[in-house]
Amino acid sequence: MSTNSSIRLAQVERHYVQGESRLTILDHADMEIRAGEMVALVAPSGAGKSTLLHIAGLLEKPDGGDVFVNGTSCKGLDDAGRTDMRRSSIGFVYQFHHLLPEFSALENVMLPQMIRGLPRKVAADRARMLLEYMRLGQRVTHRPAELSGGEQQRVAIARAVANNPYVLLADEPTGNLDPLTSNYVFDAMTALVRQSGVAALIATHNHDLAKRMDRAITLRDGKIIDHVLV
């Protein structure tokens, strides 16, 4: 394993039972993403992208193999340990922003830090810094309903990295946005990944965005393989 690897899947297996048959989603799958690297996950619907993201994010346990986050094996972690690892080391961005509507942009980015135990002022200072970095410094007091779709998604990205995670997992983060806004949000996310050194795995159907990342992977017959975009 590379010394600067932030996430690695080693010989991961995942199967689902349907009646008397067994459906294999991941078959001894291997993957490694280094700190500061952006990797696109491009695969057809039903190929197992969501399963891969869930296992990498410790939301789902594999049937075999192991997940390493910043060199730490997650195989032996109980539910509480997995929750702690997710809270401290993994950030998530979804296609829909999932911001809490009753809280401001600043408060939405503060919340995961306060849940982790940081003092309110420390959380507020970091939240404000991240929102300013995402060019939302003038929108920190606005609630989600007062923000555009692109602004909401940038708040969601700031929230995902609020606890300074090692890994960022994104599932179609620009899927609900128009092309111009999509490019703007992607550029902001790229800048944040480079600045923070987080290892990012981004599922997308947008091949133009995928080509702008460091490399792309796909799922084929349960294996994770390098993907050549055409």
Side-chain angles (χ1 to χ4, degrees), residues 13-24:
E13 300 178 49
R14 190 70 175 104
H15 313 283
Y16 296 103
V17 176
Q18 293 183 334
E20 297 182 357
S21 62
R22 189 174 79 159
L23 179 64
T24 296

Side-chain angles (χ1 to χ4, degrees), residues 7-9 26 29-34 37-44 47-49 52-53 56 168-170 200-207 209-211 213-220 222-229:
I7 185 165
R8 183 168 72 105
L9 272 61
L26 296 174
D30 292 301
M31 179 189 76
E32 182 175 345
I33 303 177
R34 299 181 299 275
E37 186 180 26
M38 292 183 74
V39 176
L41 172 58
V42 183
K49 293 193 303 293
L52 175 58
L53 288 171
L168 177 66
L169 303 173
L201 177 63
I202 302 167
T204 182
H205 284 105
N206 188 325
H207 279 217
L209 291 184
K211 289 176 181 177
M213 300 188 217
D214 297 309
R215 57 189 173 95
I217 60 173
T218 192
L219 287 162
R220 187 175 300 158
K223 307 288 188 184
I224 302 171
I225 60 174
D226 288 335
H227 185 42
V228 178
L229 296 169

Side-chain angles (χ1 to χ4, degrees), residues 36-98:
E37 186 180 26
M38 292 183 74
V39 176
L41 172 58
V42 183
S45 297
K49 293 193 303 293
S50 293
T51 297
L52 175 58
L53 288 171
H54 289 170
I55 288 176
L58 307 185
L59 294 169
E60 190 174 329
K61 289 184 178 181
D63 296 310
D66 199 357
V67 178
F68 295 84
V69 176
N70 195 38
T72 298
S73 168
C74 299
K75 190 171 185 177
L77 296 177
D78 59 14
D79 287 342
R82 292 167 70 86
T83 298
D84 286 343
M85 181 67 82
R86 284 196 302 272
R87 184 179 297 144
S88 65
S89 302
I90 303 172
F92 297 89
V93 181
Y94 299 98
Q95 185 170 348
F96 187 71
H97 55 77
H98 294 298

Side-chain angles (χ1 to χ4, degrees), residues 49-224:
K49 293 193 303 293
S50 293
T51 297
L52 175 58
L53 288 171
H54 289 170
I55 288 176
L58 307 185
L59 294 169
E60 190 174 329
K61 289 184 178 181
D63 296 310
D66 199 357
V67 178
F68 295 84
V69 176
N70 195 38
T72 298
S73 168
C74 299
K75 190 171 185 177
L77 296 177
D78 59 14
D79 287 342
R82 292 167 70 86
T83 298
D84 286 343
M85 181 67 82
R86 284 196 302 272
R87 184 179 297 144
S88 65
S89 302
I90 303 172
F92 297 89
V93 181
Y94 299 98
Q95 185 170 348
F96 187 71
H97 55 77
H98 294 298
L99 298 176
L100 298 175
E102 65 271 29
F103 294 106
S104 68
L106 185 72
E107 291 165 337
N108 266 280
V109 182
M110 289 172 59
L111 279 171
Q113 301 176 74
M114 295 178 68
I115 290 171
R116 191 180 176 188
L118 292 180
R120 184 179 184 88
K121 185 181 185 310
V122 174
D125 287 346
R126 176 161 172 77
R128 187 171 285 104
M129 178 194 71
L130 286 169
L131 290 170
E132 288 177 353
Y133 192 86
M134 300 297 284
R135 300 182 184 178
L136 292 168
Q138 304 302 314
R139 310 288 277 169
V140 295
T141 61
H142 290 66
R143 294 185 180 184
E146 300 171 306
L147 302 172
S148 70
E151 288 171 337
Q152 291 171 345
Q153 197 65 319
R154 279 183 281 152
V155 174
I157 293 167
R159 180 184 59 185
V161 300
N163 280 331
N164 198 26
Y166 295 110
V167 179
L168 177 66
L169 303 173
D171 191 0
E172 296 286 350
T174 63
N176 283 333
L177 305 174
D178 64 81
L180 183 62
T181 305
S182 174
N183 280 327
Y184 191 90
V185 169
F186 180 79
D187 287 344
M189 183 165 59
T190 300
L192 199 57
V193 168
R194 304 306 190 202
Q195 185 273 336
S196 65
V198 67
L201 177 63
I202 302 167
T204 182
H205 284 105
N206 188 325
H207 279 217
D208 289 333
L209 291 184
K211 289 176 181 177
R212 291 162 60 187
M213 300 188 217
D214 297 309
R215 57 189 173 95
I217 60 173
T218 192
L219 287 162
R220 187 175 300 158
D221 298 327
K223 307 288 188 184
I224 302 171

